[in-house]
Amino acid sequence: MLEPVRLAIAYGYLGDAFHGSQYQPNLNTAQGLLEEVIAELTWGVEPSEGQHSLRNASRCDAGVHVRMNVAMLDITGNLWEKLTAERMVNAINDHLPSSIWVWGVEKAPSDWNPRHPISRTYRFRLEGCEYWPGIDKDQLVEWLDIFHGTHDYASFSRPEGDSSTVRTVESIKPWMEGKHVIGFEISGPSFVWNQVRRIASAIEFLARGKTTAEEVVQALHNPTKFVDLGLSEPDWLILWEL
């Protein structure tokens, strides 16, 4: 009997086709659908409230698009010996609708935990916002720089219980198409719930003259005094890379 094998499965999907990434009973989610397919292929168990074949690296709300999420799957060594990464990718995709796709399978260390990626990268498409006026790159760079570094994002997130809202943004820069500003890209080890969408809303407010850079800085530096600078729709948020 061969030793069990831990696999990393990279996948993406269109957010408007699913009620988020994490499994939820009686709702169409990315994890739920993938687990159903894996069970159908006899590589895992049927998903239920307390029984899952996959563990996701990142959780995403309904409507958020995903270019790259990664899930952990444990299978027997005997099964892995019969399969190849390419066969697994093709077999899973043959059972999936066009709104979701698996694009990579990799053998991982036996102690690998997908919940602790080195970095997460999101992109937000500002030009998709209904009232986005358009701005030049230099102005966007100046506003994005407000959020660079380590800050308490209490006013730019939806805190969960007593969890810390302090996060480090390692990189935040314009997302460009030639000289045209599409949106921004942001990277860090982890993010608080709704952090990127609230940052996007603050940038939109700045572009429309609904707030000032000074007010945004004050909201960031005074976390005990909540300032509501809006919450952008999930439709234009993409989990880009892990």
Side-chain angles (χ1 to χ4, degrees), residues 108-172:
S110 59
D111 61 350
W112 174 63
N113 184 343
R115 288 295 295 160
H116 303 297
I118 296 168
S119 183
R120 306 168 196 262
T121 297
Y122 289 88
R123 287 188 177 184
F124 193 95
R125 197 177 190 106
L126 290 166
E127 67 171 6
C129 299
E130 186 176 1
Y131 301 109
W132 177 247
I135 58 172
D136 62 61
K137 179 183 177 181
D138 290 342
Q139 179 62 83
L140 182 57
V141 168
E142 183 181 322
W143 289 338
L144 293 176
D145 194 54
I146 294 171
F147 300 97
H148 187 261
T150 302
H151 303 283
D152 189 330
Y153 283 91
S155 286
F156 296 88
S157 65
R158 181 176 170 183
E160 297 180 85
D162 295 327
S163 298
S164 173
T165 50
V166 175
R167 293 293 186 274
T168 298
V169 172
E170 295 177 336
S171 171
I172 184 166

Side-chain angles (χ1 to χ4, degrees), residues 181-203:
V181 172
I182 293 176
F184 67 92
E185 179 180 288
I186 184 170
S187 300
S190 64
F191 292 87
V192 197
W193 194 7
N194 289 344
Q195 180 181 341
V196 180
R197 288 169 58 193
R198 285 197 176 275
I199 290 173
S201 181
I203 297 296

